[in-house]
């Protein structure tokens, strides 16, 4: 098609996630398999790479934006812009789940943290008793130094007995079929179940060098 020398690309194809050291495919394909195609970077400088008419340019590319060019009857055409992102990732998916405590009283705030190590881009999902009501607040902290880790924090304000159950996070690898899940059991009580009864007054006096005992009954 001389009016459309480059096959239209969908938006998902224009954002290319690549793990460090892995080759990437820039999918600018032509409607004419015999067309001569040039790849240029954001500085409009030519980039040398293998071209496959059914896939596009294949190679190890630095992060940045790339465009393909071709000539049709003396006119230059440009493809869509393709953005390559280099991500840090491992074939394994180390995940840890942490809870400040596992027993709460009604009205307290539940906090559970899921940490993914050595991977910059993952898809993480939470499962917990209040998920249907979207009760939880989720925050993400991307920590680079001293090492890469993604810290996902789930907060449940004003906990009730209905928030008792398993809190589970499932992390999925951005580019591989790898997933890992961890869970912790949380219990919420209607009220406190420890009763303290001090056997002394709010204010007590003691003489110098005197030994004074303070007794508390715990039920």
């Amino acid at each position: 098609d001389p009016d459309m020398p480059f096959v239209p690309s969908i938006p998902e194809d224009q954002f290319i996630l690549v793990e460090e050291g892995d080759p990437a495919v820039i999918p600018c394909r032509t409607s004419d398999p015999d067309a001569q195609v040039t790849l240029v970077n954001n500085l409009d400088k030519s980039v040398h790479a293998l071209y496959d008419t059914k896939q596009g340019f294949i190679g190890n590319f630095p992060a940045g934006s790339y465009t393909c060019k071709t000539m049709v009857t003396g006119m230059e055409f440009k493809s869509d812009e393709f953005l390559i992102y280099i991500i840090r990732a491992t074939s394994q998916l180390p995940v840890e789940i942490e809870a400040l405590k596992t027993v709460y009283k009604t009205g307290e705030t539940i906090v559970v943290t899921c940490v993914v190590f050595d991977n910059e881009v993952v898809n993480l999902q939470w499962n917990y008793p209040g998920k249907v009501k979207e009760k939880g607040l989720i925050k993400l902290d991307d920590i680079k130094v001293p090492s890469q880790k993604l810290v996902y924090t789930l907060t449940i304000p004003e906990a009730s007995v209905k928030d008792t159950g398993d809190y589970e996070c499932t992390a999925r690898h951005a580019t591989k079929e790898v997933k890992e899940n961890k869970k912790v059991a949380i219990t919420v009580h209607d009220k406190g179940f420890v009763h303290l009864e001090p056997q002394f007054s709010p204010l007590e006096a003691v003489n110098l060098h005197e030994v004074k005992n303070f007794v508390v009954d715990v039920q």
Side-chain angles (χ1 to χ4, degrees):
D1 182 355
D3 295 325
M4 192 169 288
F6 286 105
V7 177
S9 57
I10 59 176
E12 289 82 357
D13 288 340
Q14 294 174 241
F15 297 91
I16 304 164
L17 291 178
V18 190
E19 291 180 27
E20 284 180 323
D22 283 358
V25 176
I26 298 176
C28 53
R29 296 172 294 127
T30 55
S31 58
D32 176 7
D34 296 322
Q36 296 298 309
V37 186
T38 304
L39 179 66
V40 296
N41 59 20
N42 59 333
L43 300 176
D44 206 33
K45 291 185 177 180
S46 295
V47 177
H48 297 287
L50 173 68
Y51 186 70
D52 183 314
T53 57
K54 294 182 179 181
Q55 296 186 67
F57 283 99
I58 304 169
N60 291 83
F61 305 106
S65 65
Y66 295 85
T67 308
C68 301
K69 294 180 179 182
T70 190
M71 299 290 290
V72 178
T73 62
M75 290 184 60
E76 184 180 80
F77 287 84
K78 289 185 178 181
S79 70
D80 293 322
E81 183 182 40
F82 297 92
L83 298 171
I84 290 185
Y85 295 92
I86 306 296
I87 60 172
R88 189 179 307 164
T90 59
S91 56
Q92 302 300 315
L93 202 55
V95 178
E96 289 184 6
I97 194 167
E98 301 169 351
L100 295 178
K101 55 183 183 177
T102 56
V103 178
Y104 290 85
K105 287 192 303 181
T106 295
E108 291 186 323
T109 299
I110 298 173
V111 179
V112 182
T113 301
C114 195
V115 185
V116 181
F117 298 91
D118 301 324
N119 286 267
E120 281 188 294
V121 182
V122 297
N123 177 19
L124 188 130
Q125 292 181 324
W126 287 98
N127 278 310
Y128 57 95
K131 184 176 181 179
V132 175
K133 296 183 178 179
E134 297 183 350
K135 191 173 181 181
L137 306 173
I138 299 171
K139 186 183 76 166
L140 168 61
D141 292 309
D142 187 354
I143 299 172
K144 306 288 189 187
V145 178
S147 60
Q148 172 66 43
K149 62 181 178 179
L150 298 172
V151 181
Y152 296 84
T153 304
L154 172 67
T155 304
I156 311 289
E158 296 292 325
S160 70
V161 176
K162 292 181 179 179
D163 292 308
T164 294
D166 287 338
Y167 286 69
E168 182 179 44
C169 67
T170 302
R172 297 178 187 275
H173 204 286
T175 58
K176 294 182 175 67
E177 290 297 321
V178 178
K179 73 174 184 176
E180 186 71 33
N181 69 298
K182 293 291 175 71
K183 66 181 178 180
V184 62
I186 300 288
T187 304
V188 182
H189 292 281
D190 187 34
K191 57 186 178 181
F193 51 86
V194 176
H195 179 69
L196 303 178
E197 188 176 342
Q199 302 297 313
F200 49 85
S201 304
L203 180 63
E204 292 280 346
V206 61
N207 294 322
L208 186 62
H209 303 306
E210 179 187 355
V211 175
K212 185 84 172 182
N213 290 323
F214 295 89
V215 178
V216 179
D217 285 341
V218 182
Q219 298 177 0

